[in-house]
Amino acid sequence: MSTIERTISSGEVIIREGDEGNTFFQLLEGKVGVYNNYGQEDQVQIAILEPGTYFGEMAVIESYPRSSTVVAEEDSKVIEIAASELNEYITENPNKILDIIVVLGNRLKTMTDDYNEIKKALDNVRKENSKNNYASFFASMSKQSIYLSAKNFRLERPSAEALREAADAVSKKGTSGETYPYGTIIFKQGEPGKCMYIVHSGSVCIYSNYGAENEIRLSEVKPVACFGEMGLITGEARTATAVVESNDTQVEIIYPDGLEDLFKSCPEKIDMILKNLSYRLRVITYEYCKACKEIYDNTEREEEY
């Protein structure tokens, strides 16, 4: 197994924005900082990571260039895992499957919350076209965050090719799970979450306020993809309702204590779950930054007059 334990000196760059990613890391000791535009005039620190945290995994999972630079803030120790050794690493450390899913899921939840907040501000901008209507938004957000996300917006909408490949790999292994008729409610908004799901055939739609006057259809989940992962990660109340949208929809239920056996029987499913979470995180990050840019550009135009 080619995992490497490395000691990193304070100030040393561990991964660099724009590089191809073929390894990821777990921080054992010390602290590392995550930056965009590191070493430039518009450098912005995005986060400080504490021991136990994984980083660099998205570039490995989806074969994308690194989206940030990670630098040791103090003398630190990390484990470096090669992309080619990911399956072996999980085989030897099956308890790490949930850890990696939790990292991606929590990042997805945080970014989704941030996007929902900025989306409200953006709706006000479009309706009223006045900076006064979103002043409270700027008061609640970091000036650096707006600067990074808007003025320096360079992201591209991610490709779903990795998802298609992962879905094909799962499909070749055959399907399993329960078959439901049209209209079946898989879970309801407000119910405690205990598991996640994989759609193998048919479709499931996710709704906010399902059945109410202000019902909103948030998304549609088609084969082969997962949903409801926050229930598995946190066990918190569901934030939406999942409803079967076509007859003979086949759905597999995944519980936390079943992840190790799932990996042993079908590692392709774990790979698909990780790729889905990573892709959704990239998409919501793109949409967040795009919304920030629209607000930023509005502000710039108003200040010119």
Side-chain angles (χ1 to χ4, degrees):
M1 175 63 187
S2 61
T3 58
I4 302 170
E5 189 172 298
R6 291 175 50 192
T7 299
I8 310 295
S9 301
S10 179
E12 184 178 342
V13 173
I14 305 172
I15 61 177
R16 191 172 295 278
E17 184 176 353
D19 286 353
E20 294 298 320
N22 54 18
T23 62
F24 71 105
F25 303 83
Q26 183 181 23
L27 181 62
L28 299 180
E29 298 175 10
K31 292 182 180 179
V32 300
V34 183
Y35 295 86
N36 274 78
N37 309 317
Y38 182 72
Q40 302 176 33
E41 288 186 6
D42 53 358
Q43 168 183 307
V44 177
Q45 185 183 83
I46 301 170
I48 292 287
L49 304 182
E50 302 287 345
T53 306
Y54 287 92
F55 60 93
E57 73 290 334
M58 287 176 65
V60 169
I61 291 168
E62 290 194 88
S63 301
Y64 266 79
R66 304 287 192 188
S67 58
S68 304
T69 296
V70 178
V71 182
E73 298 293 317
E74 58 189 39
D75 290 347
S76 302
K77 188 176 291 184
V78 301
I79 290 177
E80 183 174 10
I81 304 110
S84 59
E85 303 291 341
L86 178 57
N87 278 1
E88 188 177 345
Y89 173 72
I90 293 176
T91 298
E92 295 180 4
N93 304 274
N95 59 310
K96 300 298 185 182
I97 300 172
L98 183 59
D99 291 347
I100 297 172
I101 290 174
V102 166
V103 167
L104 288 171
N106 283 335
R107 288 179 188 167
L108 178 60
K109 183 179 185 300
T110 298
M111 183 53 67
T112 300
D113 290 343
D114 288 347
Y115 173 70
N116 288 338
E117 183 178 0
I118 200 170
K119 186 66 167 57
K120 291 177 184 176
L122 182 56
D123 288 344
N124 283 335
V125 170
R126 289 168 173 168
K127 262 191 273 184
E128 305 295 338
N129 196 29
S130 170
K131 186 169 64 175
N132 294 331
N133 285 287
Y134 53 89
S136 61
F137 169 78
F138 281 105
S140 69
M141 295 294 288
S142 148
K143 183 178 180 180
Q144 284 189 328
S145 174
I146 291 296
Y147 186 73
L148 164 69
S149 302
K151 186 175 181 180
N152 302 312
F153 178 68
R154 299 180 187 130
L155 292 176
E156 295 182 1
R157 181 177 289 279
S159 164
E161 183 60 29
L163 293 188
R164 290 189 286 270
E165 292 175 354
D168 287 345
V170 172
S171 295
K172 290 174 183 176
K173 291 291 182 176
T175 61
S176 58
E178 301 292 329
T179 301
Y180 297 104
Y182 171 82
T184 300
I185 295 176
I186 304 294
F187 58 74
K188 288 184 179 181
Q189 186 172 337
E191 290 180 342
K194 299 177 182 178
C195 57
M196 67 179 295
Y197 304 84
I198 299 175
V199 177
H200 288 289
S201 65
S203 67
V204 174
C205 283
I206 311 300
Y207 292 89
S208 175
N209 306 313
Y210 182 69
E213 289 185 6
N214 59 339
E215 171 185 299
I216 300 173
R217 178 170 156 168
L218 301 173
S219 63
E220 183 177 7
V221 187
K222 295 182 177 181
V224 173
C226 58
F227 67 98
E229 68 285 335
M230 292 313 297
L232 178 142
I233 292 168
T234 68
E236 295 176 356
R238 302 287 190 185
T239 58
T241 297
V243 183
V244 172
E245 292 289 311
S246 61
N247 279 319
D248 299 325
T249 290
Q250 191 175 44
V251 177
E252 181 176 359
I253 304 172
I254 309 295
Y255 290 96
D257 57 7
L259 286 170
E260 293 182 22
D261 288 340
L262 181 65
F263 177 76
K264 291 175 185 176
S265 63
C266 188
E268 292 85 358
K269 288 182 182 177
I270 297 298
D271 183 58
M272 183 275 296
I273 290 170
L274 293 176
K275 281 183 167 61
N276 266 266
L277 291 174
S278 181
Y279 174 76
R280 285 162 54 193
L281 179 54
R282 289 185 188 279
V283 169
I284 198 69
T285 301
Y286 173 85
E287 294 298 335
Y288 170 82
C289 291
K290 192 169 74 169
C292 281
K293 179 169 175 56
E294 186 172 336
I295 290 179
Y296 181 90
D297 289 346
N298 254 271
T299 310
E300 290 290 287
R301 282 195 295 269
E302 285 194 11
E303 289 177 353
E304 289 175 1
Y305 295 104

